[in-house]
Amino acid sequence: METFATRGYHNASLAEIAERAGLTQAGLLHHFRSKTALLSSVLELRDNSEIEQLGPERPRGIAFLNHLVDTVRRNAEREGIVRLYTVLSAESVTEGHPAQEFFRDRYDGLRAMVTEALCEACQLGEVREDLDVEGVATAVIAVMDGLQVQWLLAPQSVDMAATTRRVIDALLADLLPAQD
């Protein structure tokens, strides 16, 4: 993870990764048939750790958005994971990058989860039903990812969790149900 995070996929060498893992390059390739397979496993490991933290059932409605803020707060304590994700997601937009499909699928899945939570919030009466759920979901994800870049460059100057909370609150403020 650390090698991909600091060097990116293209600049990370299997020899360096093997050495850091205490293996020979042949030993590394015994476990992972290629550099691409290793990258896929690293990305799956990162996502699986996030899913495990959710537990058996994800929070619903606004509670899921609160969970996202908690995730951002935890990420501020995991610089290596944040760097890995940030570097590889940005790098994946280049032609032929082996993680492009992974990140495309990941964003589709994340947008679907946030959209579903916002639809639930509408059904639960937590926000008005005329909420542009897809637009808000996309904006929340964009803020979270953009904050990661800023935080990695200036961790003392960026409070990712507080800013994420502020943006989510602002996006939803005009959409609270009318009080009788």
Side-chain angles (χ1 to χ4, degrees):
M1 282 187 184
E2 186 63 27
T3 304
F4 283 138
T6 57
R7 299 193 183 284
Y9 174 78
H10 294 293
N11 292 325
S13 75
L14 284 177
E16 179 183 357
I17 293 169
E19 182 180 322
R20 290 178 86 159
L23 298 169
T24 64
Q25 191 168 338
L28 180 66
L29 288 171
H30 172 75
H31 296 285
F32 303 96
R33 67 186 184 287
S34 66
K35 186 176 174 183
T36 302
L38 175 61
L39 175 64
S40 295
S41 293
V42 165
L43 292 171
E44 286 173 21
L45 176 65
R46 182 206 183 268
D47 270 6
N48 288 341
S49 70
E50 292 294 319
I51 291 168
E52 285 173 12
Q53 289 180 351
L54 262 179
E57 193 172 316
R58 75 162 177 79
R60 302 286 176 209
I62 297 296
F64 184 75
L65 299 179
N66 294 333
H67 162 75
L68 293 178
V69 174
D70 293 340
T71 299
V72 170
R73 189 173 291 108
R74 281 191 309 279
N75 283 347
E77 299 168 4
R78 306 180 304 177
E79 182 179 341
I81 296 281
V82 172
R83 186 181 311 108
L84 172 73
Y85 174 82
T86 303
V87 168
L88 293 177
S89 65
E91 197 177 57
S92 76
V93 303
T94 60
E95 187 176 327
H97 194 281
Q100 191 172 82
E101 184 177 339
F102 171 86
F103 279 103
R104 190 173 284 127
D105 291 346
R106 186 175 193 289
Y107 277 117
D108 286 345
L110 186 54
R111 267 193 310 275
M113 285 179 69
V114 177
T115 297
E116 182 179 355
L118 290 166
C119 286
E120 292 164 356
C122 292
Q123 293 165 354
L124 294 168
E126 296 173 328
V127 294
R128 291 192 334 242
E129 291 187 16
D130 60 344
L131 173 65
D132 172 13
V133 290
E134 289 87 7
V136 171
T138 299
V140 168
I141 295 164
V143 165
M144 291 171 64
D145 282 4
L147 285 169
Q148 288 184 146
V149 172
Q150 293 182 54
W151 177 76
L152 286 166
L153 294 170
Q156 312 84 344
S157 302
V158 177
D159 184 336
M160 292 191 298
T163 304
T164 300
R165 168 89 281 144
R166 190 172 304 115
V167 168
I168 288 172
D169 289 349
L171 287 169
L172 298 178
D174 291 338
L175 298 163
L176 295 175
Q179 299 296 321
D180 294 328

